[in-house]
Amino acid sequence: DIQMTQSPSTLSASVGDRVTITCRASQSISSWLAWYQQKPGKAPKLLIYKASSLESGVPSRFSGSGSGTEFTLTISSLQPDDFATYYCQQYNSSLPLTFGGGTKVEIK
Amino acid sequence: QVQLQESGPGLVKPSETLSLTCTVSGGSISSYYWSWIRQPPGKGLEWIGYIYYSGSTNYNPSLKSRVTISVDTSKNQFSLKLSSVTAADTAVYYCARLPVYYDFWSGWNYYYYMDVWGKGTTVTVSS
């Protein structure tokens, strides 16, 4: 299985901050990576696919980058609605599909 | 737009079979892959498996011996059965759609991330 490791597990930030979350894969997954946002009691919401493609309707302050084994999700200016948990997911050709452990973005 | 809704018992006894259905509305189940994902209380996401509308499946090896996913295109539904459940199977269960794009040059292209999710249903395993 491809292991996905996210860091940090928790992040404290203020409105307006630039926030970066890292996701590392245990082997190369090219650009086959997605990012999701999950709020308490809600289903995950797709933000980014193919490492850097923004899903329709997602604010442009969200961006993704990386390839191979190291990826980042950046929020350019944190908004009150962005406090949530973020997950990465690899969808390389090898199964199973796997998720990172999550990064909780908290209010500082 | 496409919406997904999970349904099924919220309480299942240990050793019994968990059965859930996902109803697809606002679009056809055809031409897509459909998936089940679960999330134990306070924990992360775990992929269970997916099914193509034609019926072909792939499961997480960690659950493969206990999982069956099926599809009923006439009802625009797909289902999950998980046998011999224990307390470790207590979780929120989500159904989701995997996207497909058509390209004039390469044809149908399938991608194995989830672009549409149901709201989730909580299943507790307890006697």
Side-chain angles (χ1 to χ4, degrees):
Chain A
D1 297 6
I2 298 177
Q3 308 301 319
M4 306 301 293
T5 304
Q6 283 183 238
S7 61
S9 55
T10 306
L11 186 160
S12 296
S14 301
V15 172
D17 284 354
R18 181 181 181 87
V19 167
T20 299
I21 298 168
T22 297
C23 179
R24 289 186 174 87
S26 59
Q27 64 187 72
S28 178
I29 57 170
S30 185
S31 295
W32 303 121
L33 185 98
W35 288 98
Y36 302 90
Q37 176 194 66
Q38 187 179 35
K39 297 181 180 178
K42 301 294 186 182
K45 172 189 173 183
L46 177 67
L47 299 175
I48 302 281
Y49 60 94
K50 207 176 178 184
S52 61
S53 296
L54 194 67
E55 174 70 350
S56 176
V58 174
S60 58
R61 62 181 180 272
F62 291 93
S63 64
S65 64
S67 65
T69 61
E70 189 150 338
F71 303 86
T72 58
L73 173 70
T74 299
I75 309 172
S76 61
S77 178
L78 196 66
Q79 298 302 301
D81 191 47
D82 302 337
F83 291 97
T85 300
Y86 294 84
Y87 293 94
C88 60
Q89 178 231 325
Q90 67 82 17
Y91 54 102
N92 192 42
S93 56
S94 62
L95 294 175
L97 305 178
T98 48
F99 293 87
T103 295
K104 185 176 182 180
V105 177
E106 297 182 328
I107 300 173
K108 191 172 185 179
Chain B
Q1 70 278 22
V2 173
Q3 293 184 314
L4 308 182
Q5 179 66 58
E6 304 89 349
S7 59
L11 181 64
V12 181
K13 289 182 169 54
S15 80
E16 295 190 343
T17 296
L18 176 160
S19 295
L20 297 174
T21 296
C22 182
T23 300
V24 179
S25 60
S28 174
I29 202 168
S30 298
S31 303
Y32 288 93
Y33 282 88
W34 304 90
S35 187
W36 287 98
I37 305 98
R38 69 180 183 179
Q39 185 171 36
K43 296 189 177 181
L45 300 163
E46 180 181 31
W47 173 70
I48 299 171
Y50 61 64
I51 188 165
Y52 193 45
Y53 78 100
S54 63
S56 61
T57 56
N58 263 302
Y59 301 134
N60 191 323
S62 67
L63 298 168
K64 188 174 184 177
S65 63
R66 299 193 292 130
V67 171
T68 302
I69 298 176
S70 59
V71 64
D72 186 337
T73 54
S74 68
K75 295 182 178 179
N76 239 29
Q77 294 176 335
F78 63 105
S79 298
L80 169 70
K81 291 188 185 300
L82 182 65
S83 63
S84 306
V85 297
T86 69
D89 296 309
T90 293
V92 177
Y93 285 76
Y94 296 100
C95 60
R97 188 185 76 174
L98 283 62
V100 59
Y101 299 100
Y102 181 78
D103 178 81
F104 178 81
W105 302 106
S106 60
W108 294 103
N109 295 280
Y110 297 91
Y111 299 96
Y112 302 97
Y113 60 90
M114 283 61 83
D115 67 343
V116 181
W117 294 66
K119 293 182 178 180
T121 188
T122 299
V123 178
T124 302
V125 178
S126 175
S127 55

